């Protein structure tokens, strides 16, 4: 690939997501119009500058979504649809919360071991789906969906066994205070702080990138994802790859709840945030499983969600409209990538044809653009 | 391309294995029924198959069966439909809105239109643009949840008896009760005789308050089986799921068939949503599908992408669901011993086929269930809530090796690939 950054290539790479966002906003506006809601109120609220407090919220939620997106992306990279991030993150954060609440270990060590425990539990829950796939041939899509539902009931049951009720909220015991992870003052004038463990998102992103692009495992993973039969032919044990990548995906899913657990809620209860796992699947798709792309996807989703809180007050529009926008973005972005890919392929063909007809001596062979 | 006639219909094909299989499905049903009856007498958990439980089971099975049928249409044409859940959700809001303002029949039609709208999106993404089917399905589920919640807020806020997350009560469509039969079966059931009373409650369940929508669902399943396996239209549609390029060379417009199949799929899934609104709950509520679209998908896979099979799967999941809803801990507790007996039977079968390791696994899991049964008196409600999902995994785990999905299911197809 020449190595040169030409403007057209960058333009084409950005065209798809930008196109997708514009189309998604258009569709959202059509729905608002059809239901007789205020379109201008919606647009002005969504595009209003967030207050400093909201900026911190956006980054906090984005870091959590980012971890969720990474978890899903690892599976996607080898054509494994781990829809079970939601369930894996639930059982993991529950286990970590119970363990940490006993405070058997001194502060930082307690946090560290709890995080490791969350990764192990998340991985174990994901491993069920991986093992079912390689031993019984059950599609991981179905088994992880079922395991999500089971995780909800299982954690509810266990919570009833070990939890304490305060008011109407049933939760695990509150973590000892020396296990709380302090926030990072991001904007000095904002009243809230960045969750301390949101650094896990940055570390996770770096680890993901190194694992995928610099390790033998990452190479095998990508190879298997591109063509399972070719991977088998080159001696990759695909069954082992399936289980291992499910394990890694589940371990990362185990991290999702950590910033919230140690930074703000300090216990796992019935009100602990749900739905992050599903959002992560969407974010991974949006970011094309690329570590930087996922970050943009997470920021976009988080931004939209934060801004939507104001919709009810400012424009009398139900904030649920944002879920439509988010879903449509996921769909339009994959469609847009496909359209751009076809356009690019046509362009390539034209150029090759032009070069051949102009009988240039040994026309430079252009490799087929990667997707 | 292998096209075997379906076991639901009178077989015209004299192929011997098919006939044997048709008998065996009835034998399996009878065996299962006998086993339930036996365990009921043994444990005294009469709620296991009381008329009430069975009626609940039928009502729980219908939406799952409709979702499974919706999946069948789409996947037989080669389009994987994870978006079923979303299409059902769209169906519920359609049924809620049109049902409230224009009556139950309008609700049914509205639900099917809303479901088909979701399906149109899926078809556009997967067939026209060649997007990955799972990706599109996931996106449609997200969109549907948002759309339903947004529309519910817009439609029902401020209505008397309604609110931002639910509609006011909606009238149910017609239901049928056969007067004399229904009562007679009730008194026979109360005797708690082995097999006889169980049969009586089964007959009672389908002659008391049978919804017209249930009949419609049965007609749709039988009609689909006929249409897909006995007509030229069905053969062409299924050929799109087996080998679209071969179909194309024979002059089938693959895009059109896939589009049509996905639209039908969405309408049927929407109907499943309407059933939940109009029959199961009597009003619209956010999130009331509760993952039935996914269970329907599992029922279809369990049923080996066939109408009779998916009915069996939907019945199984509907039954376990009804059991936990209606009969609760005691009856689900009795289910443990049934699972144990079935698993021990499976272990014996597997051992005789020479499958040593699976046999030992089945034996161990079966013994674990038996141990659980004998050491406890009831199953906690959280576990009963898991029953359909655990059953799904167990059943798929035990049956998956014998399942065969349409060969080109989920494979991207573009016109002109045939060469």
């Amino acid at each position: 690939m020449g190595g040169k950054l030409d403007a057209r290539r960058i333009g084409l790479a950005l065209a798809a997501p930008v196109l997708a966002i514009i189309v998604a906003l258009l569709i959202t506006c059509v729905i608002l119009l059809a239901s007789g809601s205020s379109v201008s109120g919606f647009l002005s609220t969504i595009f209003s500058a967030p207050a400093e407090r909201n900026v911190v919220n956006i980054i906090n939620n984005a870091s959590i979504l980012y971890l969720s997106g990474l978890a899903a992306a690892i599976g996607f990279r080898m054509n494994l649809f781990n829809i079970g991030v939601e369930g894996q993150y639930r059982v993991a954060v529950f286990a970590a919360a119970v363990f940490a609440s006993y405070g058997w270990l001194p502060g930082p060590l307690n946090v560290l071991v709890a995080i490791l425990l969350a990764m192990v539990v998340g991985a174990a829950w994901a491993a069920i789906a991986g093992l079912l796939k390689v031993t019984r041939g059950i599609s991981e899509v179905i088994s992880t969906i079922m395991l999500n539902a089971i995780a909800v009931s299982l954690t509810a049951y266990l919570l009833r066994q070990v939890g304490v009720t305060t008011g109407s909220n049933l939760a695990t015991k509150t973590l000892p205070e020396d296990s709380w992870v302090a926030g990072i003052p991001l904007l000095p004038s904002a009243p809230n702080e960045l969750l301390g463990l949101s650094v896990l998102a940055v570390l996770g992103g770096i680890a993901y990138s190194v694992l995928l692009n610099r390790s033998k495992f990452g190479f095998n993973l990508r190879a298997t994802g591109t063509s399972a039969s070719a991977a088998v032919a080159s001696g990759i044990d695909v069954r082992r790859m399936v289980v291992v990548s499910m394990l890694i995906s589940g371990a990362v899913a185990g991290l999702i709840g950590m910033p919230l657990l140690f930074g703000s809620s300090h216990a796992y209860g019935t009100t602990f945030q749900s739905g992050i796992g599903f959002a992560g699947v969407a974010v991974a798709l949006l970011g094309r499983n690329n570590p930087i792309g996922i970050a943009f996807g997470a920021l976009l989703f988080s931004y939209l969600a934060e801004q939507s809180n104001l919709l009810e007050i400012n424009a009398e529009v139900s904030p649920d409209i944002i879920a439509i926008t988010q879903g449509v973005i996921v769909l339009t972005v994959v469609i847009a990538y496909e359209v751009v890919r076809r356009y690019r392929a046509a362009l390539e063909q034209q150029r090759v044809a032009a070069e051949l007809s102009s009988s240039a001596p040994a026309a430079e062979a252009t490799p087929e653009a990667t997707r | 391309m292998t096209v075997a006639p379906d076991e639901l219909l009178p077989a015209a094909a004299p192929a011997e294995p098919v006939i044997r299989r048709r008998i065996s499905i009835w034998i399996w049903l009878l065996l299962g029924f006998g086993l339930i009856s036996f365990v009921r007498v043994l444990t005294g958990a009469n709620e296991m198959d009381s008329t009430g439980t069975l009626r609940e089971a039928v009502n729980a099975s219908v939406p799952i069966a409709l979702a499974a049928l919706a999946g069948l249409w789409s996947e037989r044409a080669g389009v994987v439909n994870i978006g079923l859940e979303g299409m059902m959700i769209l169906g519920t809001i359609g049924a809620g809105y049109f049902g409230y303002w224009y009556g139950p029949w309008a609700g049914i039609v509205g639900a099917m239109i809303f479901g088909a709208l979701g399906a149109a999106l899926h078809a556009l993404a997967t067939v026209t643009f060649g997007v990955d089917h799972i990706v599109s399905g996931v996106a449609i589920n997200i969109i549907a949840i948002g759309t339903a919640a947004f529309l519910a807020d817009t439609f029902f806020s401020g209505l008397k008896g309604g609110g931002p997350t639910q509609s006011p009560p909606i009238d149910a469509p017609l239901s049928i009760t056969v007067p004399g039969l229904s009562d007679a079966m009730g008194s026979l059931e109360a005797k708690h005789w082995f097999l006889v009373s169980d049969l009586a409650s089964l007959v009672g369940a389908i002659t008391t308050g049978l919804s017209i929508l249930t009949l419609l669902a049965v007609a749709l399943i039988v009609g689909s089986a006929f249409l897909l396996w006995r007509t030229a239209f069905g053969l062409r549609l299924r050929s799109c799921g087996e080998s679209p390029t071969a179909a194309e060379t024979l002059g089938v417009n693959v895009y059109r068939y896939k589009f049509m199949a996905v639209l039908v799929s969405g309408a049927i899934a929407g109907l499943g949503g309407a059933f939940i609104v109009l029959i199961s709950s009597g009003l619209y509520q956010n999130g009331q599908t509760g993952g039935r679209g996914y269970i329907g998908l599992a029922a279809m896979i369990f049923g080996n992408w066939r109408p009779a099979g998916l009915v069996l799967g939907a019945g199984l999941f509907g039954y376990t669901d009804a059991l936990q809803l209606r009969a609760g801990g005691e009856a689900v507790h009795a289910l443990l011993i049934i699972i144990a007996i079935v698993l021990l039977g499976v272990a014996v079968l597997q051992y005789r086929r020479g499958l040593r390791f699976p046999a030992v696994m089945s034996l161990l899991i079966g013994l674990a269930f038996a141990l659980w049964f004998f050491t406890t008196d009831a199953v906690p409600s959280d576990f009963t809530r898991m029953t359909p999902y655990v059953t799904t995994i167990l059943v798929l785990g035990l049956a998956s090796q014998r399942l065969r999905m349409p060969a080109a299911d989920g494979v991207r197809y573009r016109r002109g690939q045939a060469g």
Side-chain angles (χ1 to χ4, degrees), chain A residues 227-316:
Chain A
S227 166
S229 52
V232 173
S234 62
I236 297 173
D237 184 346
V238 174
R239 284 154 57 99
R240 200 174 142 265
M241 290 294 295
V242 167
V243 176
V244 173
S245 40
M246 276 310 266
L247 282 172
I248 297 176
S249 181
V252 177
L255 291 176
I256 298 170
M258 297 301 108
L260 283 174
L261 177 65
F262 290 101
S264 66
S265 70
H266 307 302
Y268 176 86
T270 41
T271 53
F272 204 84
Q273 194 172 348
S274 66
I276 307 173
F278 294 113
V281 172
V283 164
L285 295 174
L286 199 59
R288 307 231 81 201
N289 307 326
N290 172 300
I292 294 168
I294 301 171
F296 278 113
L299 274 172
L300 177 66
F301 265 43
S302 178
Y303 171 84
L304 288 173
E306 186 70 20
Q307 296 291 75
S308 77
N309 290 333
L310 298 167
L311 279 176
E312 194 92 74
I313 312 155
N314 287 2
E316 291 188 351

Side-chain angles (χ1 to χ4, degrees), chain A residues 99-186:
Chain A
F99 172 81
S101 71
Y102 288 111
W104 286 315
L105 299 165
L109 197 58
N110 198 27
V111 177
L112 186 69
V113 175
I115 292 175
L116 290 177
L117 178 70
M119 294 178 77
V120 169
V121 171
W125 196 251
I128 301 174
L131 288 173
L132 283 172
K133 186 180 173 78
V134 297
T135 59
R136 307 300 305 168
I138 303 175
S139 155
E140 75 284 2
V141 176
I142 299 292
S143 62
T144 52
I145 287 170
M146 298 298 136
L147 284 166
N148 281 343
I150 295 171
V152 171
S153 298
L154 184 68
T155 49
Y157 169 76
L158 293 174
L159 190 58
R160 205 158 297 146
Q161 305 305 305
V162 301
V164 280
T165 313
T166 36
S168 64
N169 186 26
L170 175 66
T172 57
K173 279 194 299 178
T174 306
L175 309 189
E177 278 199 40
D178 67 343
S179 296
W180 296 12
V181 175
I184 304 163
L186 183 72

Side-chain angles (χ1 to χ4, degrees), chain B residues 153-366:
Chain B
D153 196 347
T154 313
F155 290 157
F156 304 130
S157 285
L159 287 182
K160 190 164 168 282
T165 61
Q166 68 173 48
S167 75
I170 299 168
D171 295 334
L174 189 68
S175 67
I176 305 159
T177 299
V178 183
L181 204 55
S182 170
D183 294 338
M185 290 302 143
S187 57
L188 202 55
E189 185 201 340
K191 304 259 197 301
H192 299 315
W193 289 335
F194 176 64
L195 272 185
V196 179
S197 294
D198 305 280
L199 207 58
S201 54
L202 182 64
V203 175
I206 54 175
T207 53
T208 316
L210 183 70
S211 164
I212 193 96
L213 267 184
T214 307
L215 290 177
L216 186 61
V218 172
L220 271 176
I221 293 167
V222 176
S224 300
F226 178 80
L227 207 60
L228 291 178
W229 270 269
R230 295 281 137 162
T231 63
F233 167 82
L235 183 64
R236 290 192 197 109
L237 191 146
R238 283 183 299 125
S239 71
C240 298
E242 298 289 350
S243 174
T245 47
E248 184 187 302
T249 51
L250 294 172
V252 175
N253 186 338
V254 177
Y255 281 12
R256 191 195 296 160
Y257 273 90
K258 281 183 185 253
F259 236 98
M260 207 151 38
V262 175
L263 284 182
V264 171
S265 170
I268 295 175
L271 187 66
F275 190 93
I276 296 171
V277 170
L278 299 171
I279 311 297
S280 309
S281 27
L283 51 79
Y284 167 85
Q285 261 178 322
N286 277 359
Q288 77 192 127
T289 54
R292 284 190 187 78
Y294 298 124
I295 299 201
L297 207 63
M300 177 202 66
I301 295 173
F302 167 69
N304 201 9
W305 285 266
R306 293 173 158 277
L310 72 84
V311 170
L312 208 64
L316 185 67
F317 302 143
Y319 176 68
T320 49
D321 204 16
L323 211 55
Q324 61 99 354
L325 271 178
R326 196 185 149 84
E330 190 197 25
V332 178
H333 187 240
L335 199 63
L336 294 179
I337 195 70
I338 293 189
I339 296 175
I341 294 173
V342 168
L343 280 172
L344 296 181
V346 168
V348 171
L349 280 180
Q350 282 170 332
Y351 187 79
R352 279 175 45 186
R353 282 204 204 104
L355 302 165
R356 295 278 285 282
F357 180 69
V360 172
M361 284 306 287
S362 302
L363 181 73
L364 286 178
I365 302 174

Side-chain angles (χ1 to χ4, degrees), chain A residues 35 81 135-136 138 141-142 145-146 149-150 153-154 157 160 285 318 320 323-324 327-328 331 335 338-339 342, chain B residues 82 121 128-129 132 134-135 143 146-147 149-150 153 294 301 380 382-383 386 389 396-397 400-401 412 414:
Chain A
S35 68
F81 279 90
T135 59
R136 307 300 305 168
I138 303 175
V141 176
I142 299 292
I145 287 170
M146 298 298 136
I150 295 171
S153 298
L154 184 68
Y157 169 76
R160 205 158 297 146
L285 295 174
S318 165
D320 293 313
I324 306 182
V328 175
L331 198 57
I335 293 178
E338 176 65 19
V339 171
R342 287 182 191 177
Chain B
I82 294 281
L121 206 58
T128 311
F129 289 108
D132 186 284
I134 310 256
V135 172
I143 295 171
T147 308
F150 172 73
D153 196 347
Y294 298 124
I301 295 173
D382 289 307
F383 282 96
M386 285 178 209
Y389 305 101
L396 289 181
S400 61
Q401 309 281 306
R412 184 158 84 166
R414 281 192 72 186

Side-chain angles (χ1 to χ4, degrees), chain B residues 91-113:
Chain B
T92 60
I93 188 70
Y97 179 73
F98 290 98
Y100 175 70
W101 288 108
Y102 308 105
W105 286 103
I108 292 171
V109 175
M112 293 179 80
I113 292 174

